[in-house]
Amino acid sequence: MRILQSRNAHLSSGIVILSIISFLVYYIAGNTGTLTVPRSFSRDSKAFNRIVQCNEIPEINFHVHAGATSGKMIVDTNTSVRIYCNHLGGDYPINISRAYQEKDTNELNTILDKAAVIHGSQSSAGVQRIALIIPFRDRESHLRIFVGHTFPVLCRQKNTFSIFVVEQIGNETFNKGRIMNSGFKYARDVGEQLNMPFDCFIFHDVDTLIENDDLLYRCSKGDIVDHLSTTVSKFDYNTMCCGMTVGGVLAMTADQYEKLNGFSNNFWGWGGEDDALYGRIRQKGLRIARPNPELGRFTMIEHGVDKLNPHNEGRLQALQKSTKEMDDDGLNSLDTTVEEVWMYPTFVKVRVDVGRPQ
């Protein structure tokens, strides 16, 4: 018992130290002004500053198809927005909740539970079924860039996939862990109800754009989880930023996620939840696989600090408890509520009430 307690104490201390280093890297990168956005990023993109109405976007010739990957790509946010508006988007989603508000409660719940947009073959042997889960709030311009950029990549990789944009509603402080857990639970349940359970769940920040589509959106399975975003532009593609945590883009199977009990529900505001998940992965004996730095490059869209996502001043204290309490804090203690489901041509937006800090 003493050995186990000592091990837990060392692990918790290590995670806290890593979190401090991670925060310092983030703070320095965000405040010194010495790190620049790579040349491939379109800094003057209209979509960067405001939500552009799709009728403002000129038509472009583009065809989304399943074919050979392109390798290294130029990340062009203007083109991504045009692809979204002209070929993938639509400003007017179907509000599933309201469309069926006249139905009785049981029928409404059945319809809500089955709301998903599936792309690719649903029966191809050897192809993983992928659920892409996007934590979200007040980032509509980023979402259009993300979908316009990432959707063609998923098609070129011949994936069978569904995109779930999980939006925190209300004015409470952002809680990424609760959003991730809610998204996983929704996607897992909808896959089972549609008789096509997902093989791979990819948790993907909306401001993080893949630069090389030879990096496959896949899960390794077994005891290996895949942290795909090895290097990001925000930190000048320095591997130090991403080798100590699992933020950005992370792929896991349902069994792996459930073994970890998902994310902690106790991190309110920016910082800590990814470090806590890293600790859970280590504690449960799973291994982390990362692509080489060139293959695992991602562009991060610049943005300011969200008013409702301030730095989490209590993250270090929460980290110290997170490993010890992991079996009681996560999926099995989740108390969020899906309030609405909106269906777009290429994804569903699952709007969630995550509760409030205790």
Side-chain angles (χ1 to χ4, degrees):
M1 178 63 72
R2 290 182 178 177
I3 295 175
L4 180 59
Q5 290 175 339
S6 175
R7 178 188 175 193
N8 287 341
H10 285 302
L11 181 60
S12 298
S13 299
I15 298 303
V16 170
I17 292 170
L18 289 177
S19 180
I20 294 172
I21 297 172
S22 177
F23 171 75
L24 289 174
V25 172
Y26 173 91
Y27 182 83
I28 292 170
N31 290 276
T32 61
T34 58
L35 300 183
T36 58
V37 177
R39 61 178 175 77
S40 61
F41 182 79
S42 180
R43 183 186 290 273
D44 61 352
S45 167
K46 290 191 298 180
F48 173 78
N49 295 312
R50 66 184 181 90
I51 301 174
V52 179
Q53 300 303 313
C54 283
N55 59 15
E56 301 178 55
I57 302 295
E59 289 282 345
I60 60 171
N61 294 321
F62 181 82
H63 178 64
V64 178
H65 65 281
T69 55
S70 304
K72 293 182 179 180
M73 302 178 293
I74 297 296
V75 177
D76 185 333
T77 59
N78 289 308
T79 297
S80 297
V81 173
R82 288 198 294 270
I83 291 171
Y84 173 84
C85 286
N86 296 164
H87 303 278
L88 307 176
D91 290 330
Y92 307 103
I94 300 172
N95 187 331
I96 302 296
S97 309
R98 292 177 183 169
Y100 292 94
Q101 62 185 356
E102 300 301 324
K103 305 283 187 180
D104 65 68
T105 302
N106 290 333
E107 188 174 359
L108 171 60
N109 289 338
T110 300
I111 293 166
L112 284 175
D113 289 345
K114 292 186 178 181
V117 182
I118 311 297
H119 305 280
S121 172
Q122 299 184 29
S123 59
S124 296
V127 176
Q128 289 188 10
R129 296 166 175 164
I130 296 168
L132 207 66
I133 297 172
I134 317 297
F136 182 82
R137 183 165 67 180
D138 296 334
R139 295 284 187 87
E140 292 292 342
S141 59
H142 293 175
L143 180 59
R144 294 183 180 195
I145 294 170
F146 176 84
V147 174
H149 177 81
T150 308
F151 188 92
V153 171
L154 293 165
C155 291
R156 286 196 297 272
Q157 293 183 357
K158 299 182 180 179
N159 286 313
T160 297
F161 66 95
S162 188
I163 301 174
F164 301 92
V165 179
V166 189
E167 180 178 25
Q168 178 174 334
I169 62 175
N171 295 316
E172 293 296 338
T173 302
F174 196 66
N175 190 310
K176 182 179 175 182
R178 291 180 178 231
I179 296 170
M180 294 295 210
N181 288 338
S182 300
F184 170 80
K185 184 177 179 180
Y186 182 93
R188 179 197 60 191
D189 292 348
V190 78
E192 292 175 354
Q193 289 166 1
L194 293 175
N195 198 29
M196 55 158 294
F198 292 103
D199 305 298
C200 182
F201 295 80
I202 300 180
F203 302 87
H204 205 308
D205 287 352
V206 73
D207 59 2
T208 307
L209 308 175
I210 190 171
E211 294 187 15
N212 190 327
D213 64 5
D214 286 336
L215 174 63
L216 299 180
Y217 281 112
R218 299 283 195 280
C219 282
S220 294
K221 301 185 178 182
D223 64 349
I224 298 176
V225 300
D226 296 277
H227 185 215
L228 300 180
S229 50
T230 306
T231 56
V232 295
S233 61
K234 182 181 181 70
F235 303 111
D236 206 22
Y237 302 104
N238 191 323
T239 55
M240 177 183 175
C241 82
C242 309
M244 64 184 70
T245 185
V246 288
V249 187
L250 180 68
M252 283 188 281
T253 65
D255 287 343
Q256 291 169 344
Y257 196 79
E258 289 168 351
K259 183 176 184 178
L260 302 177
N261 200 17
F263 279 80
S264 168
N265 295 318
N266 294 327
F267 288 84
W268 296 89
W270 184 89
E273 70 284 329
D274 293 322
D275 302 302
L277 188 68
Y278 176 85
R280 293 183 177 213
I281 292 170
R282 294 285 302 274
Q283 181 73 6
K284 291 296 185 179
L286 299 180
R287 295 180 292 160
I288 300 171
R290 295 184 173 93
N292 70 64
E294 283 300 309
L295 184 62
R297 286 168 62 103
F298 283 77
T299 291
M300 184 177 289
I301 303 173
E302 285 187 339
H303 57 82
V305 176
D306 298 334
K307 293 180 180 179
L308 296 176
N309 190 24
H311 290 299
N312 182 357
E313 301 299 334
R315 65 190 176 281
L316 297 183
Q317 293 88 341
L319 275 168
Q320 290 175 332
K321 297 191 302 181
S322 62
T323 303
K324 301 175 186 176
E325 299 176 353
M326 63 183 294
D327 291 331
D328 300 310
D329 167 31
L331 275 176
N332 62 5
S333 62
L334 186 66
D335 57 356
T336 60
T337 304
V338 175
E339 296 289 350
E340 292 183 311
V341 179
W342 293 357
M343 183 173 288
Y344 291 74
T346 46
F347 60 88
V348 294
K349 184 180 285 186
V350 183
R351 308 188 75 230
V352 180
D353 180 352
V354 303
R356 55 189 52 83
Q358 299 299 318

